[in-house]
Amino acid sequence: MEEVKKKRMLSGIQPSGDLHLGNYLGAIKNWADRVDEYECFYFMADLHTITVRQDPAELRRRSINQLAQYIACGLDPEKNVLFLQSHVPAHSQLAWVLSCYTMFGELSRMTQFKDKSAKYSDNINSGLFTYPVLMAADILLYQADYVPVGEDQKQHVELCRDIAQRFNSVYGDVFKVPEPLINKVGARIYGLTTPGAKMSKSVPDGCVFLMDSPDDIRRKFKRAVTDSDRENCVRFDKENKPGVANLMNIYSTLTGKTMEQIEAEFAGQGYGSFKPAVGEAVIEAMRPIREEAERLIKDKAYLDDVYRKGAEAASYVAGKTLRKVYKKVGFYQL
Ligand code: ATP
Ligand code: LTN
């Protein structure tokens, strides 16, 4: 029987902060679960991070620590291609070509550019502006079918599709036109102290980092915001009790229990027992991840080897696309 070729999935995360429970439940855990179905490429987008100023030592530390954390979360390097963007020069090379097929007006409309140029008004560099072109290169080099991203990145993937279609209309079918895969709404985790906003590293008090100690996690859950109606009852009501709903969502995702089962489990007990119980469930879920990541971080030779093999596998695929593009646009071949 003929073997069916797996569809290809690709995504990147900027190594611009430590990974948290939102990243894990909203993204990485789902990636790890998809490995048998798809051929998967995941990379650390270090080239993208320097669109805002980075401390070089911190960037270096995060680029390797994040790999350890990805592996510890279940992204097996034997089954997924894991690599660092700057190790594969084809990303920068294709980005230049694509920048000549991307319109100034298109880039001006990107909401991330507008947000970031307001936030970093003293450093509106051209990399911040052309960020989506590099992202399009990341995706198109691998002929990816699907790109799992958060809602905020959808506009960039759509621009990538437009660039691919524009290029293809001139030169024939060079690029696969990718589809964005947007995380389900249920996968959105909110901050423990700010249930109206997503869990984010910029609010560290309400953010559970994968590398937090059990004591840190306990403390954060103790301080979690529940609701203001003083009902003190564990009930799933997103509208009126967003804090409780968020904790229930976390608990449900980790234990597999339904909202009804959780309501029954804590009936008559109030938040005093519920909050620590969610904290303990998170501690237990994070423990093996943290311990494995700590072990891997000490094994730099192994991590370097993963990056080396990842870059090799990625370069092979990316190189094929880049050569085709160079030929199509008319660069003289030796
Ligand atoms: P920040 O913490 O500064 O808001 P971030 O952690 O969102 O940044 P990204 O690189 O934008 O970092 O996110 C990486 C992935 O994690 C994306 O797929 C994003 O959708 C997902 N993600 C991030 N935060 C959450 C969250 N709170 N809930 C669910 N998924 C999340
Ligand atoms: N811009 C994305 C990170 C990113 C990415 C990519 C995601 C860079 N290149 C290619 C998917 C595909 C972000 O900030 N989350």
Side-chain angles (χ1 to χ4, degrees), residues 10-14 31 43-45 48 85 91 112 116 131 134-139 147-150 152-153 156-157:
L10 170 136
S11 196
I13 287 199
Q14 297 191 53
W31 297 356
F43 65 96
M44 317 296 154
H48 277 106
Q85 190 186 25
H91 290 246
Q112 180 178 290
K116 286 204 174 169
Y131 181 112
L134 178 59
M135 182 160 158
D138 297 337
I139 299 167
V147 184
V149 283
D152 60 323
Q153 296 299 313
H156 288 164
V157 181

Side-chain angles (χ1 to χ4, degrees), residues 11-14 16 18-28 31 119 148-153 183 187-191 197-202 207:
S11 196
I13 287 199
Q14 297 191 53
S16 53
D18 292 318
L19 293 179
H20 54 74
L21 192 63
N23 296 141
Y24 175 63
L25 296 179
I28 306 165
W31 297 356
K119 191 167 169 193
V149 283
E151 184 68 40
D152 60 323
Q153 296 299 313
N183 296 329
R188 181 159 274 242
I189 306 296
Y190 296 89
K198 71 166 197 168
M199 182 176 283
S200 154
K201 57 189 170 269
S202 43
C207 179

